[in-house]
């Protein structure tokens, strides 16, 4: 099989799907805000339990709960706005870059810039409903739009599954459609 070359037409919806997936599932950045909220909720619960015997304990509980829930909401709200702002740059009208997959690895081309990553150096591949995320590093991914499930996308997925270890390949399509 020769090289598989696919132009990546990325729109705002695809970028948003990827950004939230990366934040919540790959980078697991929900853990610290959840721990923060749980900690402040626990302290607020202690304050509420003392409301009958300590003056202003209920007020303190409300403040602690507001901080514990409010700051994580601000964090995720800021991320949402950032994704919307960045996603506006992706119209899907022009190719963001071109991906070429062959027996040796993945190559990405954008204008005069290029990157080649041997299969042995690919960190992971995640398949979502609308794209395949090829992580060349733990925090760097290239998106291969796959909503059309074209022959080229099918061949690319087969090549990736043949060249990578099973522990590097994650197919989330069933999970995405179930939710």
């Amino acid at each position: 099989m020769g090289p598989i070359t696919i132009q990546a037409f990325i729109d705002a919806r695809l970028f948003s799907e990827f950004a939230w997936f990366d934040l919540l599932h790959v980078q697991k950045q929900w853990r610290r805000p959840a721990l923060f909220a749980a900690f402040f909720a626990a302290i607020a619960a202690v304050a509420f339990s003392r409301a009958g015997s300590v003056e202003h304990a209920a007020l303190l509980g409300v403040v602690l709960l507001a901080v514990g829930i409010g700051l994580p909401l601000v964090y995720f709200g800021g991320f949402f706005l950032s994704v919307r702002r960045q996603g506006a740059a992706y119209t899907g009208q022009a190719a963001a870059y071109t991906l070429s997959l062959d027996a040796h690895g993945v190559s990405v081309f954008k204008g005069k810039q290029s990157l080649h990553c041997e299969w042995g150096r690919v960190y992971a591949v995640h398949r979502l409903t609308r794209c395949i995320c090829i992580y060349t590093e733990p925090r760097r991914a290239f998106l291969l739009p796959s909503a059309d499930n074209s022959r080229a996308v099918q061949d690319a997925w087969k090549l990736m599954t043949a060249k990578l270890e099973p522990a590097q390949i994650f197919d989330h399509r069933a999970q995405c459609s179930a939710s």
Side-chain angles (χ1 to χ4, degrees), residues 81-102:
L81 292 174
S82 173
V83 167
R84 266 185 79 186
R85 191 172 36 256
Q86 289 175 3
Y90 295 104
T91 62
Q93 301 300 316
Y97 43 80
T98 302
L99 291 148
S100 182
L101 298 89
D102 61 22

Side-chain angles (χ1 to χ4, degrees), residues 8-9 14 29 32 34 41 52 55 71 74 77 85 87 90-92 104 128 147 159 171 175:
F9 290 91
L14 178 70
Q29 292 294 319
R32 285 187 180 175
E55 188 177 347
L71 285 179
V74 167
R85 191 172 36 256
Y90 295 104
T91 62
H104 304 290
L128 307 178
L159 181 61
D171 191 345
Q175 297 168 356

Side-chain angles (χ1 to χ4, degrees), residues 14 39 57 70 76 106 174 176:
L14 178 70
F39 176 74
F76 286 114
V106 179
C176 294

Side-chain angles (χ1 to χ4, degrees), residues 34-48 61 63-69:
L35 185 60
F36 182 87
F39 176 74
F40 272 81
I43 295 173
V46 170
F48 287 132
V63 170
L64 289 169
L65 197 56
V67 169
I69 294 172

Side-chain angles (χ1 to χ4, degrees), residues 23-38 72 75-76:
L23 178 82
L24 299 174
H25 296 285
V26 176
Q27 306 301 330
K28 299 191 185 321
Q29 292 294 319
W30 59 270
R31 290 178 175 170
R32 285 187 180 175
L35 185 60
F36 182 87
Y75 171 76
F76 286 114

Side-chain angles (χ1 to χ4, degrees), residues 126-164:
H126 293 267
R127 188 160 189 184
L128 307 178
T129 305
R130 299 186 66 232
C131 69
I132 300 171
C133 312
I134 304 169
Y135 282 84
T136 56
E137 298 172 12
R139 293 186 181 259
R140 183 178 191 180
F142 293 96
L143 306 182
L144 175 61
S146 65
D148 64 354
N149 202 25
S150 66
R151 179 75 180 171
V153 169
Q154 292 175 21
D155 289 345
W157 182 248
K158 285 179 189 171
L159 181 61
M160 286 183 250
T161 57
K163 294 293 184 177
L164 297 172

